[in-house]
Amino acid sequence: MKLNKLLLGAAVIGLSIAAAPQIAKATTTAGTANAVLRAAITLTETTQLDFGEVTPSPAGDVITIDSAGVTSAVSGSTFAGSPAAGVWASTGTPLTAATISFSSGDLLTGPGTDMALGTFTHSAGGSPAFDGGGALNFNVGASFTIAAAQTAGTYAGAYSVTVDYQ
């Protein structure tokens, strides 16, 4: 009987130990952090956008120069001089996608009514990217609207180009 009490007591102690809460032990593991620093983007206009000399249609017209420097008119205006697409040179992180955007609400101002400058295009394609050397060079075209009986003279204006990482 003493042996039964002894075995019963040992069983109770064993159950008590098994039922006792386990103490969690803390552990520490190192993590990893990374950062990629992209090069600051530079952007320089190397050739100004120049529509050349335009003899406008008396009814007014929309004049366009594409990113290859080819001029066109909707209503028969004629061209002379040396029209040129704008040429831009940009540098950034090699082999990185970029976006190219333009300002809006730009004007050509001169002796007559201001003329709206807009509908900008570029030659960098649908997915611009910096090349392996970090260069992104592109041409810019645009259009402007001549009013009927627009005053003759020299008109000039400014526009903004933004190149950013995608």
Side-chain angles (χ1 to χ4, degrees):
M1 179 86 110
K2 267 187 166 191
L3 184 58
N4 284 344
K5 284 184 180 182
L6 186 58
L7 287 175
L8 182 60
V12 169
I13 292 172
L15 286 175
S16 297
I17 291 173
Q22 298 294 319
I23 299 174
K25 295 202 177 201
T27 186
T28 302
T29 302
T32 303
N34 295 308
V36 175
L37 301 180
R38 294 179 174 171
I41 296 173
T42 64
L43 181 61
T44 306
E45 181 184 43
T46 60
T47 301
Q48 291 182 355
L49 179 63
D50 187 345
F51 290 91
E53 298 172 21
V54 180
T55 304
S57 167
D61 210 344
V62 175
I63 306 300
T64 301
I65 186 167
D66 67 16
S67 61
V70 177
T71 55
S72 62
V74 172
S75 297
S77 295
T78 59
F79 303 92
S82 301
V87 178
W88 292 80
S90 181
T91 61
T93 300
L95 304 175
T96 303
T99 60
I100 300 171
S101 58
F102 300 94
S103 54
S104 61
D106 303 310
L107 300 172
L108 295 176
T109 60
T113 305
D114 293 346
M115 297 182 286
L117 175 65
T119 317
F120 293 96
T121 60
H122 63 77
S123 63
S127 300
F130 295 95
D131 66 19
L136 174 57
N137 300 317
F138 55 93
N139 296 351
V140 171
S143 65
F144 72 97
T145 303
I146 302 172
Q150 182 80 35
T151 303
T154 300
Y155 290 78
Y159 66 99
S160 297
V161 178
T162 301
V163 174
D164 200 357
Y165 291 115
Q166 190 172 34

